[in-house]
Amino acid sequence: MTQLALYYFPGSYYSQRALLTLYEKDARFQHKLVVIHAGEQNDPAYMRMNPAGQVPVLKDGKKIVTDSDAIIRYVDENVHTGSTLIPDESSSVGKEVARLWKLVNSVKIEIMTFGILTFQDLSATGLTAMAQKMANSIDIRKRFDGIKKTLTALAEKCPDLKDAYNVKIDRALKFTQNFHNRELVNQVLDEVEKILDEIEMVLRKVKEEQGISDAWLTGPRYTAADIALTTLLDRIVFLGLEARYFSPQTRPLLYSYYQRLGTRKSVQQVRALVSSAPRLIILHQIKKASPYVLGVMVAGVAAAVVYSRLKGK
Ligand SMILES: N[C@@H](CCC(=O)N[C@@H](CS)C(=O)NCC(=O)O)C(=O)O
């Protein structure tokens, strides 16, 4: 395997899954920031790598892997450090991991996220500061018009990508209609209740049958199903919905599972990246605008450090 590179955006749900996987496997990889709020996923060069125009993408030399589930599989099979995330599907634990991974994947996360940003009164405790910032910065109602205009212009400029851009336009239209539908948003939020009831039951069963009080979804080992659940729970907290979905009263085992996640190194690493996103984005934009300016800035900081050290002597 050559040097891995992950194209991602820290706030992206599916990017977080790829990052968790790489950190769980102790993989060395290059960070390639794709600022999706600035539309960088639609750049022709990026679209040629992933015609869906989405993050994450994993590059291993010439090999390109798109879609977070495929990335999790690829990394688990090809990185030989860390523990196995996807147990053999012929084993009972392997079957359970596959079942729970699919169950968590059935959450309509985009409708849930943009639905809450649109109908903020549906959030149990109010949006987190970061979610509020996101809701304010993207004019959600005007969003589709802007996307359509940009993608149409790009489709004209790059005929080889015309179909891919048109698929994106259709998808954006459908998506915008969905999260403006309050009834549908409520329906999605109710579906999450059922999924989390099932998860609470699974955690109870594991606790009783295996006698482990601090178990992950299928026992002592943290697997791909846990990666999927981790990003869902973090998204729920981001949207200020945890009081509705997991509290010591509502789903106590899920609540303690969430507390335990905070002690896991890979989870801490991803959360640190998410919190540092605003700083990373600024640096990325400066570097993109002019690598020379960034070089001068870094040299300036280095000179200031050397000067202050010499002065202190
Ligand atoms: N099925 C894909 C979904 C990826 C996806 O939806 N990515 C979102 C961010 S979480 C994205 O890139 N959105 C930007 C866009 O569609 O333009 C996966 O699992 O990787």
Side-chain angles (χ1 to χ4, degrees):
M1 193 163 50
T2 50
Q3 166 82 61
L4 293 173
L6 185 74
Y7 292 77
Y8 73 96
F9 183 68
S12 135
Y13 188 70
Y14 296 103
S15 296
Q16 288 167 9
R17 290 183 172 186
L19 285 164
L20 273 173
T21 304
L22 288 160
Y23 286 136
E24 277 294 326
K25 299 291 287 188
D26 267 330
R28 287 171 62 84
F29 64 100
Q30 278 182 340
H31 291 245
K32 303 273 190 186
L33 200 64
V34 180
V35 182
I36 57 176
H37 301 323
E40 289 180 2
Q41 73 282 23
N42 300 322
D43 286 351
Y46 188 83
M47 291 282 289
R48 288 193 183 100
M49 195 166 63
N50 179 12
Q54 292 184 320
V55 285
V57 165
L58 182 78
K59 228 175 140 193
D60 180 10
K62 283 203 163 68
K63 182 153 181 71
I64 288 168
V65 189
T66 62
D67 200 88
S68 57
D69 281 356
I71 293 174
I72 296 172
R73 274 183 206 288
Y74 183 86
V75 172
D76 199 35
E77 275 166 23
N78 293 283
V79 175
H80 303 296
T81 44
S83 63
T84 303
L85 298 170
I86 310 173
D88 193 333
E89 255 196 69
S90 61
S91 66
S92 59
V93 64
K95 283 192 183 73
E96 184 65 347
V97 167
R99 181 182 80 87
L100 294 171
W101 188 359
K102 199 169 155 200
L103 179 73
V104 178
N105 275 358
S106 69
V107 172
K108 298 186 183 78
I109 201 69
E110 282 188 325
I111 300 180
M112 178 170 171
T113 304
F114 285 86
I116 291 288
L117 296 182
T118 308
F119 304 109
Q120 293 181 19
D121 58 301
L122 295 178
S123 172
T125 49
L127 298 182
T128 55
M130 229 173 176
Q132 188 64 61
K133 228 171 155 184
M134 183 171 161
N136 297 344
S137 69
I138 40 174
D139 184 340
I140 292 172
R141 280 181 193 278
K142 280 199 196 130
R143 203 167 167 262
F144 176 69
D145 297 336
I147 292 174
K148 189 175 174 191
K149 216 167 132 193
T150 310
L151 296 180
T152 308
L154 283 163
E156 271 165 32
K157 206 173 118 194
C158 310
D160 62 316
L161 291 169
K162 196 170 172 205
D163 291 347
Y165 283 122
N166 283 335
V167 169
K168 282 207 83 167
I169 293 172
D170 289 347
R171 203 174 54 221
L173 174 62
K174 207 162 140 216
F175 165 55
T176 309
Q177 284 165 346
N178 280 345
F179 70 74
H180 281 138
N181 179 342
R182 192 179 167 100
E183 208 180 307
L184 179 64
V185 174
N186 265 319
Q187 194 186 311
V188 168
L189 296 177
D190 289 345
E191 279 164 20
V192 175
E193 296 277 4
K194 289 195 200 104
I195 291 166
L196 295 183
D197 278 345
E198 170 70 19
I199 299 284
E200 181 76 5
M201 240 163 64
V202 166
L203 289 172
R204 177 149 302 117
K205 202 167 145 227
V206 171
K207 188 179 170 186
E208 285 167 6
E209 285 179 4
Q210 303 192 24
I212 322 170
S213 58
D214 56 353
W216 302 109
L217 277 173
T218 54
R221 208 201 283 168
Y222 184 88
T223 69
D226 293 291
I227 288 180
L229 184 60
T230 303
T231 55
L232 174 62
L233 299 185
D234 273 357
R235 179 55 56 94
I236 285 174
V237 171
F238 174 75
L239 295 170
L241 288 168
E242 72 270 32
R244 170 170 178 177
Y245 291 124
F246 54 93
S247 67
Q249 290 75 34
T250 48
R251 293 185 182 91
L253 295 177
L254 189 60
Y255 176 80
S256 88
Y257 177 102
Y258 182 73
Q259 306 306 313
R260 240 172 310 127
L261 278 179
T263 64
R264 204 162 176 90
K265 194 171 160 219
S266 64
V267 177
Q268 290 169 356
Q269 286 171 300
V270 173
R271 288 181 182 168
L273 264 184
V274 175
S275 325
S276 63
R279 194 166 37 87
L280 292 176
I281 293 168
I282 292 173
L283 273 175
H284 174 80
Q285 309 288 38
I286 295 174
K287 201 167 145 193
K288 223 175 127 185
S290 166
Y292 173 74
V293 171
L294 185 69
V296 170
M297 276 171 68
V298 170
V301 172
V305 171
V306 171
Y307 176 74
S308 68
R309 289 223 174 125
L310 288 175
K311 219 176 141 201
K313 272 191 181 169

